[in-house]
Amino acid sequence: MRVSTGALSLFVSFWWMLCCPVAVGLEAYTWPNRHIDLLEHMLYEHSGYHVNSPASFVVPCGTVSFGAGRNGPAEWIRTAYHDMANADVLAGTGGIDASIGFELDRDENPGKGFNETLFNLRDFMTARTSMADLIAMGALFAAGGCSGGKVLLPFRGGRVDAVGPGLKGVPRPEETLESHEAAFARQGFNQEEMIGLVACGHTLGGVHGVDFPEIVDVFNDIATDDNTQTFDSTNEGESSFDNQVARDFISNIGKNPLVFGHNVTARSDARIFDADGGKLIGEMAQSNDLFLNKCQTLLERMINTVPRGVTLGGPIDIIPVKPSSLYATVGTSPGKMTITGLVRLISRENSWDADPGRKVKIHLRPRSGAACSDVSPCTVAEATEFSWSRSLYHQAGYPYFKKYRFSQEISAKQGISAFDVEVVDTAADGSITTTMHKNGGNGFPFEDKILTQPQLTCNGQKTSGLFNLTVAVREDASLTALKAKFQLPQPLDALVPVITTKSTDLMRIGSIKDTGYTLFHAQYHLPVGTYTLTYDLVASNATKQVQSTFNEVPEIKTCPESDGMA
């Protein structure tokens, strides 16, 4: 498998992976990239080892169930639209900014769906994944999961969370066509785009009688049934994001309560679909492909509507070679340290079965930074296939990933600065392809001045709340003080918390013999919960500072429930 770079679109690159050498649509990408890496993981790894993505809630379609008649993917798309709907594109205000969390008491935002959507998303918030990005990602997952992978929105990160409510502006069913057109124009959509976006938004879910009794009659006990009337006659499932809502309208099938409901004043979909004389909705009814293409374009514009001053990055494509869980355990034997980690590759066979004939080797560059060569060879670690992960959009040809684990003991005095990844593939005909991945030339960086010690550290966030952290600091760096800065969610007056930093000092507990490292330790009381925990390490002296940022904890063992001690 040869790897090249290029600025291919998201969709071309998926097709390309199925038939051709893998290409990645990331211009000049080098690992790590703080703006991309975690979002890329959430976008493309949905099941398997160490997966942390909100996609699992709504992909396949409808996996979120909050009760009879509820549709999780529909509520995720609705949350994204209601968050965007107060945008004023000319003024540069509003858009996808998570202000919806402060607006749930408004009559334009009735129902429990917003609360439960935000509640599900907030555990994925980190210093690098805003709630606004997660709301946009939720709409992407809902459309992709319920269209069987046919509606795939390119994703750009960089949205910024609001710290208070925005202006009112969500259209309501009882408003006039002129009022709806004005609202959508303020959001940046013309009449045709308004028709398309409403059809796309109403291909899933329906109207809940418990929230809109003036539109849908309540016959049953709302404790067990919220009396939902769906927008169209499609059976729920992976193909339910389709043009049935348009076909029902043209065929006069009386399903949609916003078209055929007994409350004439609330027939907003009927007024909107007929705004151009029924031209566009008729075209969308005739062609499901046209419907899906329109939805892809309009939903992408919706999630990319952001306040002025917020700049989104480029579309995030799959990273073909990606390290994770990198640790250096000092003192594993006298004068030694053991380097461990995982490297994620795209499966050559596009399945969880072992890729036959593939060998992966990790070339460890010494602390001096010298490149590996025949004259000065690097220590080589054999990596073995350890686990797999994959996207849940299997219908669209998203790949399986293989994760290869390596472990290599080296001299602590030699140290490490980076590593290269060699992939050797043997084809069925016996031909061999060897690719050396050097991450732009300088290798995949591995800083060895400040090292979390995984065997002496444990995470108690889900048990006692105590985090026991032990870190090795290289003595020749002359760093005398060490702080840990934990990124923790703190509640605001909304369901959108803010990520704050809490610091603690680590105390020196002694040197590790014959290694040139000193150990530091601290205990920190965490709020007990299931949030994504990250921390920075900052070592300093009077003149300089060295940081190890955004350390994640999936490989850190859980503290014993009794006392949280390592």
Side-chain angles (χ1 to χ4, degrees), residues 330-331 453 472 475 510-519:
V330 181
Q453 298 300 284
E475 292 167 354
S511 297
I512 308 174
K513 186 179 179 181
D514 298 326
T515 64
Y517 281 87
T518 293
L519 289 178

Side-chain angles (χ1 to χ4, degrees), residues 81 84 184 189 193-201 298-299 302:
Y81 176 72
M84 184 281 302
F184 278 87
F189 298 97
E193 293 160 345
M194 172 189 70
I195 296 168
L197 192 57
V198 170
C200 298
L298 293 170
L299 291 176
M302 179 185 81

Side-chain angles (χ1 to χ4, degrees), residues 43 66 106 123 146 154 182 219 239 264 324 336 357 368 416 429 434 460 528 533:
L43 285 167
F66 299 125
R106 296 176 177 176
D123 283 340
C146 291
F219 296 108
S239 61
V264 176
S324 64
K336 302 289 186 177
S368 65
I416 183 173
D429 62 3
T434 299
V528 176
L533 177 65

